[in-house]
Amino acid sequence: MDDNCLNLRRFVRQSLNVLSQPRNDAEVTSTLTCLLHLASGKYHKQYCQQLAHFDIDQDNFLFAVVEFHKNHYVNVLEFLVDRFTVEWMSLLPKRENGVKLLNQIFIKGPPDLVLIVLGQSISDPGVSYRLNKCIDLLEQLLLLHIEDILWNQCQLLRDDPLRQLWPDIIKFLATIPDRVTAKQEKETSLFFYPIQYVPYLCQAIYKCLQKVHDRIQLDQSCSVEFLSQLVGKLATTGYKEILWGTLLPPIENHLYSDAIWCRVCERWISQIPDRCLESVIVPLIEQASWYGIVGKFLGDSVLNNQKLRFLLMNKLLLVRHYQQSKIPQNILGYLSNSPRTKHLLIQTLHTLIEVWGDSSVLKHTSYEKHFYLSRAIIVCLAFIEDTDKARLKNELLPKLMTALQCHLESALPKIRHLGMVVAECLTSTLDPDGEELKFNADILGFFTFGGCSAQLASTKVATKYDTDEDLKQLKQLLIKPVNPGTSYTERELPEKLGTDQGNSAPEQVAGINTETKEIEELDSDDDLEPYDMSEDVKMTKFKTPVYLRDCMEGLISSDEPERVETCIQTAESLVYKHPANAIEIAVEFTKVLLHLQDNYAMQGFSSSRHKAMVALACVAPQMVAEYLGKEFYARNYNIRQRIDILEVLSAAAQKLTNPSGNIVSGTSKSSEMLIHEVTREKTEPDSWREIVDKRIEAKTRRFSKGRLAAASVESENKFAPVAGYFFFPLLQVFDR
């Protein structure tokens, strides 16, 4: 062992001795500061004087940091956790913020190591001050560094020894809500509730996938194996619905147009452990909007993964049954979507017809399960290509005749009707130019179609049926699902509303009005005075933001419509109210507003967004105008966003040139202050001569009087110094 390692070990031993019984405040503060700089990896000569006594200077500081993280950091953290008592914490220096330095040692170090130490500490039995302290530190760590924890694991090489920590890290990340709530019960922080914590963790997973995508674009190596294991653990823990509800919508938008995203997601799902595969795949199939999305995630994994093949082709189709028709559509559509997996679709269709037509299965399964099998067969037919129909006709029609005989001999009318509809759909699909099969009469003896015959019971079997909801649903499944696109729900809702409103006939409206009047005459409460609700304020569960950063964070969290609406309505006033703070985050806030979309059809959304961007351009004209000018020619912007940029720059320029504009920048006065000063000058006379002149003017009679011009208020033109920033960035690449 070299001298540097020995010196570091001596320093750590002395530091622990000092902290075990704190006496001298200066010595404790110096020790905590040195440990903090070793944990964070930042050297500061003024605060690291104690390290110099152990020959640890700026030259060998980086080596000391690596050695400290590798061999000493976990021991130091465990030592500090063992000292978390009320008595020991009270001995730390208060003036020098000893508790704050102690907390920073946990927060600034390698977050994955801190997570393991704190995760093990909250597993101890009993509730104590140490437990609450560790949970508080754990909450701060996850709020600040959960994305760093995940991304650090994605960058580890295959032979890196730190991979041995993966089981512990995954276990703690996936089970922290259960562990903390089991300890603190009603005192648990809201952050550790699953409805808060799991979406927060999923957002970090999505950001890491985005970083992996960016690394691949730069031809750099990266791994998603850790994310695969983490998602599998989250799904088996019971958070699969929240998991895909958070991850699927943003990822779907990328899969439609980005091949690298498809490659990342396929690799991500294919590396999920087999024991977790069912918990991950089933909710994915349930929530995917289209079978093509399932194909983007799974790729050709069904060819290589036997468990996935058994899950899709047997367990989800033959063993289980679901109310949603989207599940068999997504499974069978995925099998038909690739030439390499198309043979599996035909194999599945053969198996489904054999099970569907088995007399023993027909007797011992419920109607719901049999109806699900019938739907799966019809969905298969929807995905069969024309080139395979001739071959399948000769293979499947003999099986169909046997299966149809079992259904027509059933004592249950619903089962007989299912057999008829499936037979009609199958024959019309496989032999569209042949004889049309219709069940509209009683049949006795033999049933013949396409050269195949089936002997029925010796008694008459009624084969005429009336179409009900189940049979209508079966026939509708013959239509292949269409790609809904990224804005399916946003596009379909206004069309439905417009149709409903446009089809209301005047006669119907008149009839409704007449009935309403009659009801009002019969049940009138004229003697009751209505409450005055003119000053009522709309109440929401979200408070109006007071600070600009809170407002900006509220706009980013687009999954909460009421919060977004509250923040967008108050953004303009907050910018003018806090100009100094607005200048600090002007560009960042403008970027958020520029990319913000009206996903919830809010009233006045476009106007409020435009006013907020204009306010930022008036408060920080140079920064915002430069940013918008550069973004105008950037890629991945639609025409609407480019028009928004021009409108914001134009409106901001007009406001800056208008002397009475409502602009607050630095020490400039607002328009309300200017109006107040002008009004005071008009109402408060400056001298006795003005009083005399007013009295003379009041008693003087004039036959004609010229037009009096209002006194103009002089104001600085704030657009002149920044005019170039509004013009030249837009003109830079105009000719290219």
Side-chain angles (χ1 to χ4, degrees):
M1 184 179 295
D2 57 8
D3 294 339
N4 292 328
C5 296
L6 289 174
N7 293 333
L8 181 62
R9 175 173 289 187
R10 288 172 46 227
F11 166 74
V12 172
R13 186 185 301 116
Q14 178 178 331
S15 300
L16 299 184
N17 291 335
V18 171
L19 296 175
S20 60
Q21 294 181 348
R23 296 178 182 177
N24 188 345
D25 288 355
E27 188 179 17
V28 171
T29 303
S30 177
T31 300
L32 291 175
T33 303
C34 292
L35 290 174
L36 172 60
H37 284 78
L38 284 172
S40 62
K42 296 180 180 179
Y43 182 83
H44 198 287
K45 185 175 182 180
Q46 179 181 356
Y47 300 109
C48 297
Q49 295 179 357
Q50 188 174 347
L51 293 174
H53 298 298
F54 295 89
D55 295 332
I56 301 176
D57 53 13
Q58 190 171 1
D59 295 334
N60 57 6
F61 180 74
L62 293 178
F63 173 82
V65 169
V66 174
E67 181 68 19
F68 179 76
H69 289 166
K70 183 178 179 181
N71 296 320
H72 302 286
Y73 185 55
V74 173
N75 295 332
V76 171
L77 295 180
E78 291 176 346
F79 170 84
L80 294 175
V81 168
D82 291 337
R83 298 298 183 279
F84 282 165
T85 60
V86 178
E87 294 80 8
W88 185 80
M89 297 291 288
S90 62
L91 298 176
L92 296 178
K94 297 178 176 57
R95 291 185 178 180
E96 290 80 3
N97 293 326
V99 177
K100 184 177 180 181
L101 289 173
L102 180 67
N103 295 342
Q104 292 297 313
I105 294 176
F106 285 84
I107 303 302
K108 296 294 185 181
D112 43 1
L113 300 179
V114 181
L115 175 67
I116 292 176
V117 173
L118 294 178
Q120 292 174 347
S121 64
I122 64 176
S123 302
D124 297 338
V127 180
S128 61
Y129 175 84
R130 183 178 71 172
L131 174 68
N132 295 331
K133 179 67 176 178
C134 290
I135 291 177
D136 291 340
L137 289 173
L138 185 61
E139 181 177 359
Q140 296 180 41
L141 176 74
L142 294 176
L143 284 171
L144 294 174
H145 300 298
I146 190 168
E147 184 181 345
D148 297 332
I149 295 174
L150 304 183
W151 181 238
N152 289 342
Q153 313 312 311
C154 294
Q155 298 181 88
L156 295 180
L157 300 177
R158 186 169 295 276
D159 56 348
D160 197 304
L162 291 178
R163 279 180 169 241
Q164 300 175 2
L165 301 177
W166 278 10
D168 292 333
I169 296 175
I170 293 172
K171 177 181 67 175
F172 291 136
L173 286 175
T175 60
I176 275 177
D178 298 334
R179 293 171 180 266
V180 174
T181 52
K183 293 291 184 180
Q184 292 190 323
E185 297 180 352
K186 295 182 179 180
E187 298 180 358
T188 305
S189 171
L190 291 177
F191 173 75
F192 289 111
Y193 281 88
I195 197 172
Q196 295 281 348
Y197 172 78
V198 178
Y200 184 77
L201 177 59
C202 292
Q203 290 176 4
I205 293 174
Y206 169 72
K207 292 178 181 178
C208 287
L209 290 174
Q210 181 71 59
K211 290 183 178 180
V212 172
H213 169 272
D214 297 340
R215 289 283 291 268
I216 293 177
Q217 275 189 327
L218 300 174
D219 293 333
Q220 298 177 359
S221 60
C222 202
S223 172
V224 292
E225 184 178 354
F226 175 82
L227 299 180
S228 302
Q229 297 184 20
L230 177 60
V231 167
K233 183 66 175 178
L234 279 173
T236 54
T237 308
Y239 303 132
K240 53 188 178 182
E241 301 297 336
I242 307 177
L243 171 73
W244 284 117
T246 306
L247 283 175
L248 196 56
I251 292 179
E252 275 191 1
N253 294 332
H254 297 295
L255 295 178
Y256 283 107
S257 57
D258 196 327
I260 297 180
W261 261 105
C262 299
R263 176 184 171 190
V264 170
C265 291
E266 181 182 351
R267 194 65 176 269
W268 172 42
I269 298 299
S270 64
Q271 294 185 353
I272 292 176
D274 287 346
R275 65 181 183 276
C276 311
L277 194 62
E278 182 176 349
S279 300
V280 176
I281 297 299
V282 174
L284 170 62
I285 294 174
E286 290 176 347
Q287 297 187 33
S289 60
W290 182 51
Y291 63 87
I293 295 297
V294 179
K296 302 290 187 182
F297 277 102
L298 299 183
D300 293 335
S301 301
V302 69
L303 298 175
N304 306 320
N305 193 327
Q306 293 296 328
K307 183 164 185 177
L308 179 62
R309 181 185 297 189
F310 174 78
L311 177 66
L312 296 180
M313 298 174 57
N314 292 273
K315 196 169 186 178
L316 295 181
L317 294 178
L318 303 177
V319 179
R320 297 183 180 178
H321 67 278
Y322 299 90
Q323 296 294 330
Q324 296 177 333
S325 299
K326 185 170 67 173
I327 293 176
Q329 284 179 333
N330 284 341
I331 295 174
L332 299 170
Y334 157 65
L335 295 178
S336 68
N337 206 26
S338 172
R340 293 181 293 274
T341 59
K342 188 175 64 174
H343 69 282
L344 297 178
L345 175 70
I346 299 175
Q347 178 183 339
T348 304
L349 179 58
H350 279 277
T351 305
L352 285 172
I353 293 180
E354 290 176 359
V355 175
W356 179 76
D358 191 298
S359 58
S360 177
V361 174
L362 188 61
K363 292 178 181 178
H364 295 91
T365 56
S366 63
Y367 170 78
E368 290 75 13
K369 172 62 180 175
H370 197 69
F371 179 56
Y372 179 73
L373 286 174
S374 304
R375 284 186 290 167
I377 293 174
I378 302 300
V379 171
C380 269
L381 296 176
F383 291 105
I384 294 295
E385 296 183 357
D386 296 337
T387 54
D388 300 323
K389 290 180 179 179
R391 176 172 57 87
L392 289 176
K393 173 185 174 182
N394 299 326
E395 297 176 359
L396 295 179
L397 285 182
K399 295 181 180 180
L400 174 64
M401 294 306 161
T402 305
L404 182 59
Q405 180 180 359
C406 297
H407 283 77
L408 293 179
E409 292 176 350
S410 175
L412 299 176
K414 286 188 173 182
I415 298 297
R416 295 200 299 270
H417 297 166
L418 285 179
M420 298 176 197
V421 174
V422 171
E424 288 180 355
C425 294
L426 196 146
T427 53
S428 63
T429 302
L430 298 183
D431 191 13
D433 300 329
E435 180 184 355
E436 184 178 1
L437 177 63
K438 285 292 183 182
F439 292 89
N440 52 10
D442 292 345
I443 294 180
L444 180 62
F446 288 89
F447 172 77
T448 305
F449 179 80
C452 300
S453 61
Q455 185 175 3
L456 305 180
S458 58
T459 59
K460 277 192 174 184
V461 179
T463 57
K464 186 178 181 180
Y465 64 90
D466 296 326
T467 304
D468 56 8
E469 293 299 328
D470 289 349
L471 301 184
K472 287 181 180 178
Q473 182 182 356
L474 276 180
K475 293 181 179 180
Q476 291 173 355
L477 292 177
L478 277 175
I479 303 174
K480 185 185 298 187
V482 182
N483 179 7
T486 56
S487 58
Y488 174 72
T489 56
E490 299 173 3
R491 183 178 65 251
E492 186 176 3
L493 184 59
E495 292 178 358
K496 289 185 176 180
L497 291 176
T499 304
D500 294 341
Q501 294 173 358
N503 292 339
S504 57
E507 295 81 2
Q508 297 175 353
V509 176
I512 294 173
N513 292 337
T514 305
E515 293 176 1
T516 306
K517 289 180 180 179
E518 293 176 359
I519 294 173
E520 290 178 352
E521 290 175 1
L522 293 174
D523 186 16
S524 62
D525 294 328
D526 294 339
D527 53 333
L528 299 178
E529 296 182 1
Y531 287 101
D532 183 13
M533 304 177 66
S534 60
E535 297 182 0
D536 284 8
V537 181
K538 181 182 177 181
M539 300 297 294
T540 62
K541 63 180 181 179
F542 298 100
K543 295 182 179 179
T544 302
V546 182
Y547 301 99
L548 276 170
R549 291 190 180 273
D550 294 340
C551 180
M552 185 171 64
E553 292 174 1
L555 295 176
I556 295 173
S557 60
S558 58
D559 54 340
E560 298 169 342
E562 292 184 5
R563 185 180 182 188
V564 175
E565 184 176 7
T566 304
C567 293
I568 195 65
Q569 290 176 354
T570 57
E572 180 190 15
S573 60
L574 287 178
V575 171
Y576 286 132
K577 188 177 181 181
H578 305 286
N581 296 333
I583 292 174
E584 296 178 0
I585 60 172
V587 175
E588 187 178 0
F589 203 174
T590 305
K591 183 178 181 181
V592 172
L593 291 170
L594 181 61
H595 293 82
L596 192 63
Q597 296 181 355
D598 187 10
N599 295 327
Y600 305 101
M602 299 176 185
Q603 186 175 4
F605 174 87
S606 300
S607 175
S608 300
R609 171 173 165 268
H610 172 76
K611 291 178 180 178
M613 294 175 68
V614 172
L616 288 167
C618 292
V619 170
Q622 177 179 345
M623 295 186 294
V624 175
E626 278 187 326
Y627 168 73
L628 292 177
K630 293 177 181 178
E631 292 299 307
F632 181 79
Y633 291 101
R635 299 179 62 186
N636 300 327
Y637 280 99
N638 55 38
I639 296 178
R640 179 66 259 176
Q641 288 174 313
R642 300 184 197 276
I643 293 176
D644 289 341
I645 291 175
L646 295 178
E647 290 177 349
V648 169
L649 291 175
S650 175
Q654 293 177 14
K655 267 186 170 292
L656 289 169
T657 55
N658 186 6
S660 60
N662 184 14
I663 304 167
V664 179
S665 179
T667 59
S668 61
K669 299 179 181 179
S670 65
S671 61
E672 288 82 2
M673 296 171 63
L674 293 172
I675 293 171
H676 176 70
E677 291 179 1
V678 174
T679 307
R680 185 182 62 188
E681 291 174 0
K682 291 183 177 181
T683 56
E684 297 178 6
D686 293 337
S687 64
W688 62 270
R689 185 174 297 278
E690 186 177 352
I691 299 175
V692 173
D693 292 340
K694 285 184 178 181
R695 289 179 181 176
I696 295 173
E697 183 67 22
K699 295 181 179 181
T700 302
R701 185 178 180 185
R702 300 181 185 275
F703 295 97
S704 64
K705 194 173 184 180
R707 192 172 185 180
L708 295 178
S712 60
V713 181
E714 294 183 359
S715 178
E716 179 186 0
N717 187 344
K718 298 187 179 299
F719 181 66
V722 294
Y725 301 105
F726 283 71
F727 178 76
F728 291 110
L730 290 175
L731 205 63
Q732 251 184 347
V733 292
F734 177 74
D735 55 340
R736 299 181 223 166

